[in-house]
Amino acid sequence: MLEPTNALLKKSWERSRINGVNALTAKDAILEETQFRQYREQKEEFMRTMDPTMERLAYWLKSSYSIVALCDTSGYILESKGDPVFLKDTEKIQVHHGACWSEQVRGTNSAGTVIVEQKPLAVVGKDHYLDSNHMLYCAASPIFGPQGELVAVLDISGHAAMYHPSLLGMVDVMARKVEDWLLIHRPDRQMVISLYPEKNAKHHALLAVNQDGIVTGGNREAHQLLRGNRQRLEQVHVTELVADIESLLGRQKDISTPRSLPLLTKGGGEHHWQASVLLDTRPPQIAASTPSSKPKARPLRANRTGLTSFDDLYGTDDAFLAAIRLAKRAAKTEYTVMLFGESGSGKDVVSQAIHLASERADKPFVAINCGAIPKSLLESELFGYEPGAFTGAKQTGQPGKFEQAHQGTLFLDEIAEMPSEMQVALLRVLQDFTVYRVGGTKPIHVDVRIITATHTDLWQKVQEGSFRADLFYRLQGVQVTLPPLRERADRLQLAQLLLHGIEAQLGTGPLALGASAKKLIESYSWPGNVRQLAAALREAAFLSEGGKIERERFPAYILSSFSAKPAEGQISDAQKERTQSGKSDMVDVFLQTGGNISETARILGIGRNTVYRKLKKLMEKDGT
């Protein structure tokens, strides 16, 4: 075999030889489905953190004969997404979840070798130790936790002939963004300080300190930058690393304003770096907030409980505010609440806010997506199971979601997708709030407040026969309807507030929306609602330079949809002219769009407020 010349790869090949790596043993290094499900359950919280990054990379790669994979520190693939054709092609060499790609098992490969070397690395074609992997290129980067420990490896793989060096840079940047997110979103009371040189600031070093000024963690750049001191970062006071930083340790009126501070080095030298505070969640007695004569709306975010409260929700739209007022009233009762709204409109965070505003706020909040769990597993997920209840069951058994939510709140998302046989079982539980574990005979009483959510007309489901009427009546309680983003008048303000959180995630300076981006946000229909807007803003912010986001930085699928002319509802210039003069063509277009104000405004090339005003005048003229 022709060995690689790269020093890291040569060392990896030597280790592979010593470990006796061969294709036969590698082929069998796969967890069975039940084992994998239990294995991944232990890492579910981290997987939720990774999901936006995986989805974004998968979207970029889905048409490029490439995939993105996430491996844990043992080399097991936890998730793989991307081009479905390539995923199918690589099944024969086990590039799928549950397969182990450690270096000890499969020899030199990017994921396994990065686990050993803990450095970004690309392994292309014949650089792989096993011949069966020569068809691949793999570019991977480590993901480190706040204490500098390896937590996972992010990998992009594709056909060897399609490798480009920029792929390694891209996956490394994304891995670093995840590291920053892990540091910033810890539940600890902390202040996160950003450090970067006055010139050539490619990556920011982030340091987290507690209320006593002790460093509790840092991102990869911070560990590399301050490695000369060789102390563990979390064991030192921040003043031992950065001089004159005391002025940053108190809460500032504008925490994002950078200032030049000396960075101390082991040899006693000084280099001036820019320093600013990204966020400060320390207790008020340590970092008292400055009183403000006018309260400011805050962007959507999780509080210290990990849940979102009503105070964290932003909205000035009348329909949205009406829904929130109703939700707040319902929260003070024990009524079952049914949240209705399109996917991405915020049903999940409103359910959390209801819980936090209720008498059960200090008890568990447990959520389950009824449409995302296989029918065969839903019963055991909801009601739990006894030891040995089925093949692969834990020997200790497991409590279900009802037991986990005892004295608290159970959120049943996508309730309309629940299989009919499970509807019967759920109805039985709701009648006396007694559950029986799968394989068990002992009744278990639970005290649970139920919140449900659906994006479909549940009563229509009842009429169609796919949802039980008696269960519908039992769940009805109070219905709260959340408006879709396209009908909210405050979506531009919401977008600007979402950008504040994105600034912290990216570790950048202030971000601003350009005129073309604002026009897109105002005019696009946003079928994925707030979730889609947040994802689009994250990508646009990541791709933008100079702090200003323009329309062309938004995802391609949005730009193509936004730029395309509608198949229906097209009107002539003469019609536009008559409409802008107040003629009745306005009504024709309004009806053609199904009463969608934003779409009507976009087709006519006028503002939404103009549409409202002209429609009002027409109705007054008709006496309606």
Side-chain angles (χ1 to χ4, degrees), residues 417-435:
E417 307 302 319
M418 179 173 281
S420 57
E421 58 268 33
M422 283 306 303
Q423 294 177 31
V424 177
L426 177 60
L427 178 63
R428 186 171 59 246
V429 170
L430 295 181
Q431 287 171 345
D432 57 8
F433 283 89
T434 300
V435 300

Side-chain angles (χ1 to χ4, degrees), residues 29-231:
I30 303 175
L31 295 175
E32 293 182 0
E33 191 61 33
T34 302
Q35 290 178 306
F36 173 72
R37 187 169 63 249
Q38 294 173 353
Y39 188 78
R40 180 170 159 152
E41 279 178 0
Q42 303 167 14
K43 307 172 189 298
E44 198 60 39
E45 184 176 351
F46 178 67
M47 293 303 299
R48 285 196 296 269
T49 297
M50 288 298 305
D51 190 59
T53 299
M54 296 288 289
E55 289 290 346
R56 188 182 315 150
L57 282 171
Y59 175 78
W60 289 343
L61 298 170
K62 68 180 180 181
S63 60
S64 63
Y65 207 59
S66 303
I67 60 170
V68 56
L70 182 71
C71 294
D72 70 359
T73 54
S74 298
Y76 286 102
I77 298 179
L78 300 176
E79 186 66 272
S80 56
K81 298 182 177 183
D83 189 319
V85 176
F86 186 73
L87 281 169
K88 186 69 175 176
D89 287 349
T90 55
E91 283 185 1
K92 58 181 177 292
I93 55 171
Q94 297 88 46
V95 183
H96 55 71
H97 69 248
C100 182
W101 278 75
S102 69
E103 192 181 75
Q104 294 91 331
V105 170
R106 298 185 189 266
T108 305
N109 71 90
S110 62
T113 304
V114 164
I115 291 171
V116 177
E117 298 291 348
Q118 301 197 6
K119 297 176 182 178
L121 180 69
V123 181
V124 183
K126 294 183 179 180
D127 288 341
H128 288 90
Y129 185 77
L130 292 179
D131 292 349
S132 55
N133 298 333
H134 286 180
M135 63 174 288
L136 294 174
Y137 81 75
C138 301
S141 179
I143 297 175
F144 296 104
Q147 274 71 51
E149 76 283 13
L150 183 70
V151 294
V153 173
L154 188 62
D155 175 276
I156 294 177
S157 295
H159 196 281
M162 300 183 70
Y163 175 71
H164 189 277
S166 64
L167 291 167
L168 181 59
M170 180 172 72
V171 74
D172 187 45
V173 167
M174 298 303 288
R176 290 170 187 266
K177 299 303 181 188
V178 171
E179 293 169 3
D180 292 352
W181 197 99
L182 292 173
L183 178 70
I184 291 169
H185 290 83
R186 289 191 301 176
D188 312 49
R189 295 296 190 95
Q190 63 177 353
M191 179 172 72
V192 178
I193 301 169
S194 172
L195 296 166
Y196 55 95
E198 294 177 305
K199 295 181 180 179
N200 302 323
K202 185 177 180 182
H203 300 294
H204 291 213
L206 302 183
L207 278 177
V209 302
N210 64 17
Q211 59 207 44
D212 299 317
I214 302 297
V215 176
T216 59
N219 67 355
R220 192 187 317 184
E221 284 70 35
H223 284 272
Q224 292 172 345
L225 175 68
L226 302 167
R227 189 171 290 161
N229 297 52
R230 285 320 301 172
Q231 302 118 309

Side-chain angles (χ1 to χ4, degrees), residues 434-486:
T434 300
V435 300
Y436 292 84
R437 290 185 179 183
V438 175
T441 58
K442 177 184 176 183
I444 302 171
H445 178 72
V446 290
D447 172 20
V448 175
R449 197 256 182 95
I450 301 291
I451 301 176
T452 65
T454 177
H455 70 280
T456 60
D457 185 338
L458 201 57
W459 180 244
Q460 182 62 36
K461 292 277 189 180
V462 172
Q463 303 303 304
E464 295 169 356
S466 60
F467 198 85
R468 294 181 62 94
D470 45 4
L471 180 58
F472 174 84
Y473 300 138
R474 179 74 66 172
L475 294 173
Q476 181 61 26
V478 178
Q479 179 169 315
V480 178
T481 300
L482 298 175
L485 183 60
R486 63 180 172 276

Side-chain angles (χ1 to χ4, degrees), residues 519 522-525 561-568 576 596-608 611:
K519 184 177 180 181
E522 287 275 274
S523 304
Y524 182 64
S525 61
S561 175
F562 177 70
S563 302
K565 297 193 176 188
E568 297 180 358
K576 285 187 181 182
N596 188 314
I597 295 292
S598 298
E599 188 69 1
T600 301
R602 187 182 71 78
I603 292 172
L604 297 173
I606 59 178
R608 295 172 74 251
V611 175

Side-chain angles (χ1 to χ4, degrees), residues 367-563:
I368 182 171
N369 188 319
C370 300
I373 298 176
K375 184 189 304 185
S376 59
L377 297 177
L378 187 56
E379 184 179 12
S380 60
E381 285 289 327
L382 280 173
F383 309 136
Y385 59 84
E386 294 292 349
F390 50 85
T391 303
K394 293 180 181 178
Q395 293 188 356
T396 56
Q398 181 167 296
K401 300 299 184 186
F402 270 94
E403 288 182 68
Q404 295 171 29
H406 181 58
Q407 296 186 326
T409 301
L410 177 61
F411 176 46
L412 300 174
D413 198 6
E414 299 299 350
I415 187 70
E417 307 302 319
M418 179 173 281
S420 57
E421 58 268 33
M422 283 306 303
Q423 294 177 31
V424 177
L426 177 60
L427 178 63
R428 186 171 59 246
V429 170
L430 295 181
Q431 287 171 345
D432 57 8
F433 283 89
T434 300
V435 300
Y436 292 84
R437 290 185 179 183
V438 175
T441 58
K442 177 184 176 183
I444 302 171
H445 178 72
V446 290
D447 172 20
V448 175
R449 197 256 182 95
I450 301 291
I451 301 176
T452 65
T454 177
H455 70 280
T456 60
D457 185 338
L458 201 57
W459 180 244
Q460 182 62 36
K461 292 277 189 180
V462 172
Q463 303 303 304
E464 295 169 356
S466 60
F467 198 85
R468 294 181 62 94
D470 45 4
L471 180 58
F472 174 84
Y473 300 138
R474 179 74 66 172
L475 294 173
Q476 181 61 26
V478 178
Q479 179 169 315
V480 178
T481 300
L482 298 175
L485 183 60
R486 63 180 172 276
E487 293 179 8
R488 287 179 58 168
D490 59 353
R491 57 187 174 280
L492 186 57
Q493 295 90 336
L494 177 60
Q496 290 170 329
L497 285 170
L498 287 170
L499 275 183
H500 294 325
I502 293 170
E503 288 171 7
Q505 292 174 12
L506 294 180
T508 64
L511 296 169
L513 295 168
S516 62
K518 290 179 180 179
K519 184 177 180 181
L520 182 148
I521 291 169
E522 287 275 274
S523 304
Y524 182 64
S525 61
W526 299 110
N529 294 293
V530 179
R531 186 182 296 123
Q532 183 190 14
L533 174 62
L537 285 171
R538 283 195 297 268
E539 181 171 335
F542 176 73
L543 296 175
S544 297
E545 298 178 358
K548 192 169 186 180
I549 300 172
E550 295 294 352
R551 185 176 76 175
E552 59 269 17
R553 297 303 183 186
F554 278 73
Y557 78 95
I558 289 180
L559 296 179
S560 61
S561 175
F562 177 70
S563 302

